[in-house]
Amino acid sequence: MSIFDKLETATQDATKEKRWEGTFREYLELVREKKYPNLGVLSHQRAYQMIANAGTKKSDYFGQERTRYDFFEDKLFGIEYSIDEIMAYISSAAQRTETSRRMLLLWGPPSSGKSDMVNLLKRGLEAWSRTDAGAVFAIKGSKMHENPLLLIPHHLRDEFSEELGVHIEGSLCPHTQWLLDHKYNGDFMSVPIQRIYLSEIYRIGVGTWLPSDTKSQDISELVGSIDYAKIQEFGDEADPRVYNFDGELFVANRGVMEFIEGLKADEKFLRACLTATQEKLVKAPRFGQVYVDDFIIMHTNEEEFTDFMKEKKYEAYHDRMYIVKVPYNMSVGNEVGIYEKLLRGTDAVQIHIAPLTLKAAAMFAVLSRLEDEDGDLNLIQKMKLYDGQHVKGYKKEQVIDIKKRHPREGLSGCSPRFVIDQISAAISKAKEEGRDFITALDVLRSLNTGVVNRDAFSAEQKSAYEQFIDDARKEWNDLLRNDIQKAFFLEFEQEAKALCENYLDQIEAACANKKPRDPVTGEETELDEKLMDDIERQIGISDSGKVDFRNEILRAVGEVARRNERMENPEDRIKFDYTQHAQLREGIQKALFEERKGVIRMTVSTRNPDPEGVKRLNDVIKRMSDQQGYSPAAANELLKYASAHLFDK
Ligand SMILES: Nc1ncnc2c1ncn2[C@@H]1O[C@H](COP(=O)(O)OP(=O)(O)O)[C@@H](O)[C@H]1O
Ligand SMILES: [Mg+2]
């Protein structure tokens, strides 16, 4: 189908879209039939069901089992701890515990993903309300799209709930009560009901409130107001029809309200929101209290949050909130995910971003957010550890404790936004210069310019950040060197795997005090001490440590074998290879590179290579582009850089 045909179909579908409408009597049939399974749910439960419905996976978080919610996958990166806290809040509130009467408050440094999180929930609820499982119905004509079940008289509610298994709480607002009494003569069974779709633009179930000028901003933005023109029409200012239930707290009924920078606002706004959460009531001036079912999420930056926590007069508010810290992401891999997400859909995709470019920027960003360790773990090692890499002398399980010791980590440093701005600047510059690629060199240079020119950074920060740029560059040098070395092999992976197999045969025999057998002839052969030594030497395994190391590797092999036995599906079985053990991987790679060191160094750093050298270089460029994703032009430039800086002559 062409895009034009698709547009035709879409417009026809849109005009045909007919929402369910019927009387309350007919609606009760829907409830009885359970065609829409979740009709009685309150706002927190709705949010929980939406997230749970997207699916979950068990995953490993530094050695601990963690439930990963697919809803946030590919959207929020690396703030697992905050997501877990938010989910603990939502799932507890979904069960209508006391938690549902506390307001969710997210705080953290600028651009840590707080707005993004709230937006995901808002957009998610809009889409969810269009599904059968997430269907929402409301009393037609109710300005705050109230739950139809509120029409059920209080004295029959318990029995109804018990029989149908749906929860009912709250009372009709004065306006709807007026409609029921006067327009429908109390005949609640005949009140019209309709299906609604939550929608921020139509102001249905999704609200946003942003403080503006604190002095002049009126509370009516939250709680609605009297419409004076209607007093004329209805003749009485106590007539519920004259009140506009259009404040955000009413708009958000049955859904979410985002309370942006809530602590910047005057206290009365905060109080109204807290009452709406805790009592589930909103006081409409000159009218009674109105029941609302709002899931309010406030977010704020650290400065306001700290003041708020210090302020005596707010003490009583503290335990009416559920406070979640949202720091910057601290893992390099996830930081790259953030940049990729932000670059997707921009013109940046027209340019080739060489592999490891975003990683170099991400390393800088994470370094700027880390706190120094008291022990001997340096910042670079810490960065790697947080990224799930192997660091000698540390176990991944320790990460959780290290993070606990640094509660302020991730609350300062460079934001993803700052970095992405500098990446964008590097891209524009390359375009201006007529280049169709950028490398880490462009980005690190651009970061450096950004740091130097940014007035908001203190002199100390500037010099620290410049150092981190330098550190990131050194790390990137290593990674680039590795890529280039690999590209010197026609079949690097195969060779590495073969060497690993060979090594495993040798250490298995050595540890069992046996002689290895030739894999082809089956005959006993001598132990190849040199082969083992070539690998172990590369990673600093001493003579006295080699037995331990070899046993550790054999245990890892055994673990994979045992894991495979548990897998019913043969496709889930994996073969142990050198990539599954960080140290072994390093040893194998380095041993292979060592063998060809001479050729690599000569080819890369010869100024005027002979025809054979030229051919070898071209092969390397071709493999960098075929196997590693560099564009030929980027590979060429990086080889030039490498020849000058990375391979000693
Ligand atoms: N951990 C993260 N995961 C995904 N995106 C993030 C993350 N942190 C920041 N971002 C992105 O950076 C930008 C700024 O984040 P935003 O949500 O506006 O920050 P905040 O509201 O905390 O100031 C957004 O485009 C957001 O998508
Ligand atoms: Mg924000």
Side-chain angles (χ1 to χ4, degrees):
M1 219 196 295
S2 79
I3 179 64
F4 296 102
D5 293 336
K6 284 185 188 161
L7 286 170
E8 281 304 335
T9 318
T11 190
Q12 279 163 22
D13 287 351
T15 43
K16 267 196 305 223
E17 181 180 88
K18 181 130 176 46
R19 297 178 189 204
W20 187 93
E21 257 194 66
T23 61
F24 185 55
R25 187 174 283 111
E26 286 158 338
Y27 173 72
L28 288 177
E29 276 310 305
L30 295 184
V31 179
R32 200 199 325 241
E33 285 167 13
K34 298 210 175 346
K35 174 164 176 351
Y36 302 101
N38 299 313
L39 290 181
V41 305
L42 301 181
S43 56
H44 289 94
Q45 198 178 359
R46 191 181 326 287
Y48 179 75
Q49 289 176 338
M50 160 189 80
I51 296 167
N53 188 270
T56 58
K57 283 189 195 68
K58 290 276 174 241
S59 67
D60 174 85
Y61 183 70
F62 297 110
Q64 293 189 350
E65 190 179 85
R66 169 175 185 265
T67 302
R68 216 172 61 188
Y69 291 88
D70 293 349
F71 182 79
F72 301 109
E73 278 311 287
D74 294 329
K75 300 191 179 79
L76 288 175
F77 299 88
I79 45 171
E80 295 88 355
Y81 180 79
S82 312
I83 292 180
D84 288 352
E85 289 274 289
I86 291 168
M87 287 313 297
Y89 168 82
I90 296 180
S91 66
S92 166
Q95 297 169 46
R96 303 195 300 274
T97 58
E98 264 309 295
T99 312
S100 66
R101 295 182 180 270
R102 286 160 77 189
M103 183 161 85
L104 183 59
L105 165 63
L106 312 179
W107 70 277
S111 297
S112 63
K114 300 179 292 297
S115 304
D116 222 26
M117 158 66 82
V118 182
N119 270 321
L120 273 179
L121 295 175
K122 286 168 146 185
R123 301 291 86 79
L125 281 170
E126 291 176 342
W128 175 239
S129 72
R130 293 183 161 266
T131 66
D132 280 358
V136 190
F137 291 78
I139 298 170
K140 195 174 179 186
S142 159
K143 293 188 183 176
M144 42 189 287
H145 29 268
E146 288 160 285
N147 182 355
L149 297 177
L150 297 187
L151 289 166
I152 295 183
H154 284 269
H155 69 281
L156 291 174
R157 284 187 181 182
D158 281 351
E159 198 179 331
F160 184 89
S161 288
E162 199 155 298
E163 204 154 300
L164 289 139
V166 290
H167 172 78
I168 311 173
E169 69 172 46
S171 305
L172 293 173
C173 78
H175 178 258
T176 307
Q177 187 67 49
W178 188 95
L179 286 180
L180 174 59
D181 294 344
H182 296 87
K183 194 166 168 194
Y184 305 109
N185 290 320
D187 176 10
F188 60 87
M189 291 297 265
S190 304
V191 171
I193 306 298
Q194 66 180 166
R195 179 164 181 186
I196 56 169
Y197 300 129
L198 303 194
S199 157
E200 178 146 30
I201 53 171
Y202 285 111
R203 297 170 60 72
I204 301 173
V206 184
T208 305
W209 190 82
L210 177 72
S212 54
D213 180 1
T214 41
K215 292 283 165 300
S216 67
Q217 198 164 20
D218 198 276
I219 191 81
S220 66
E221 283 182 30
L222 278 181
V223 304
S225 60
I226 290 184
D227 182 341
Y228 289 94
K230 290 211 176 118
I231 300 184
Q232 290 234 307
E233 189 182 338
F234 300 120
D236 181 2
E237 59 181 57
D239 188 315
R241 287 173 298 174
V242 309
Y243 197 81
N244 273 333
F245 290 89
D246 61 355
E248 294 302 315
L249 288 172
F250 295 125
V251 165
N253 186 33
R254 314 189 68 198
V256 274
M257 186 185 112
E258 178 179 15
F259 191 9
I260 300 175
E261 307 279 3
L263 298 177
K264 278 202 181 124
D266 192 272
E267 195 186 342
K268 63 181 183 235
F269 299 99
L270 186 58
R271 210 180 309 120
C273 288
L274 280 167
T275 312
T277 312
Q278 188 170 30
E279 320 290 343
K280 298 206 174 197
L281 293 172
V282 173
K283 174 81 179 85
R286 295 201 225 198
F287 289 91
Q289 310 215 75
V290 179
Y291 168 84
V292 288
D293 168 26
D294 287 353
F295 172 7
I296 304 177
I297 310 174
M298 173 156 92
H299 49 101
T300 187
N301 68 27
E302 185 179 9
E303 205 177 319
E304 264 99 31
F305 176 74
T306 316
D307 289 348
F308 172 76
M309 294 308 278
K310 276 199 299 230
E311 187 86 56
K312 259 260 173 286
K313 70 171 179 180
Y314 288 140
E315 234 166 43
Y317 291 174
H318 297 168
D319 52 356
R320 293 160 73 180
M321 296 181 168
Y322 193 102
I323 297 168
V324 176
K325 178 171 79 175
V326 186
Y328 290 134
N329 153 61
M330 304 294 286
S331 98
V332 172
N334 283 316
E335 191 70 10
V336 170
I338 298 177
Y339 303 157
E340 281 172 345
K341 180 188 86 170
L342 292 175
L343 290 171
R344 219 174 288 145
T346 69
D347 280 350
V349 291
Q350 293 165 358
I351 206 162
H352 170 70
I353 299 179
L356 303 177
T357 301
L358 299 181
K359 184 159 184 172
M363 289 192 287
F364 157 73
V366 170
L367 283 171
S368 78
R369 300 167 189 168
L370 288 173
E371 274 179 3
D372 231 337
E373 191 66 23
D374 346 311
D376 39 7
L377 187 68
N378 67 34
L379 284 189
I380 304 275
Q381 289 171 319
K382 198 176 198 185
M383 170 186 86
K384 290 185 178 169
L385 205 55
Y386 283 12
D387 198 29
Q389 296 177 45
H390 178 81
V391 174
K392 212 170 158 194
Y394 289 87
K395 290 201 164 61
K396 67 175 178 187
E397 285 77 8
Q398 284 171 276
V399 169
I400 306 231
D401 279 338
I402 297 177
K403 286 196 175 198
K404 273 195 197 129
R405 284 205 297 277
H406 297 272
R408 290 205 43 84
E409 212 161 47
L411 292 177
S412 59
C414 280
S415 73
R417 203 167 258 151
F418 171 78
V419 177
I420 212 75
D421 285 350
Q422 297 314 121
I423 295 175
S424 307
I427 291 173
S428 318
K429 185 151 178 283
K431 279 188 182 162
E432 270 165 34
E433 293 168 1
R435 274 187 298 142
D436 60 358
F437 66 91
I438 56 165
T439 70
L441 291 168
D442 300 298
V443 166
L444 292 173
R445 217 175 286 131
S446 177
L447 280 169
N448 206 65
T449 315
V451 165
V452 171
N453 292 343
R454 184 127 169 158
D455 294 334
F457 294 151
S458 67
E460 269 158 49
Q461 264 174 325
K462 285 184 186 184
S463 77
Y465 289 176
E466 283 176 281
Q467 180 60 48
F468 293 143
I469 292 172
D470 214 45
D471 292 341
R473 168 160 163 186
K474 290 200 184 101
E475 287 301 307
W476 170 75
N477 280 347
D478 286 346
L479 297 171
L480 175 66
R481 190 189 299 113
N482 216 34
D483 271 0
I484 293 176
Q485 285 169 329
K486 277 189 189 174
F488 267 87
F489 292 74
L490 189 57
E491 298 288 353
F492 178 83
E493 293 302 327
Q494 249 109 315
E495 289 188 43
K497 279 183 182 157
L499 179 59
C500 175
E501 286 289 309
N502 218 334
Y503 175 74
L504 291 179
D505 286 345
Q506 296 295 329
I507 60 169
E508 195 174 15
C511 287
N513 269 328
K514 285 191 185 139
K515 295 199 166 181
R517 287 184 182 276
D518 184 286
V520 182
T521 63
E523 274 169 33
E524 277 192 356
T525 58
E526 286 306 311
L527 270 182
D528 191 343
E529 294 286 354
K530 180 173 179 307
L531 184 140
M532 291 186 278
D533 185 55
D534 281 349
I535 292 170
E536 291 159 0
R537 190 163 19 99
Q538 301 296 334
I539 41 178
I541 307 290
S542 64
D543 257 0
S544 57
K546 68 186 183 191
V547 173
D548 280 351
F549 179 74
R550 291 172 187 176
N551 276 318
E552 182 187 320
I553 299 292
L554 291 176
R555 261 198 307 280
V557 175
E559 236 170 70
V560 170
R562 272 193 301 285
R563 180 192 167 280
N564 282 345
E565 275 169 27
R566 289 199 304 273
M567 296 294 145
E568 284 165 15
N569 188 351
E571 279 169 27
D572 291 334
R573 295 188 190 142
I574 49 175
K575 193 164 158 48
F576 180 88
D577 69 35
Y578 75 106
T579 58
Q580 284 162 40
H581 190 282
Q583 246 182 316
L584 178 62
R585 177 175 63 196
E586 195 184 329
I588 297 265
Q589 283 183 348
K590 285 191 171 163
L592 283 177
F593 297 153
E594 182 73 22
E595 251 176 49
R596 298 195 192 182
K597 203 163 70 181
V599 182
I600 296 174
R601 189 184 296 152
M602 215 175 63
T603 312
V604 171
S605 46
T606 305
R607 243 169 242 280
N608 296 305
D610 55 15
E612 201 189 323
V614 171
K615 181 180 175 309
R616 223 171 8 228
L617 264 184
N618 284 337
D619 285 346
V620 168
I621 292 178
K622 185 159 168 20
R623 281 196 283 272
M624 283 177 79
S625 70
D626 291 352
Q627 294 168 6
Q628 300 173 347
Y630 291 87
S631 79
N636 195 27
E637 178 164 302
L638 289 170
L639 274 169
K640 273 193 215 142
Y641 167 79
S643 80
H645 302 280
L646 300 187
F647 296 94
D648 7 318
K649 309 227 159 94

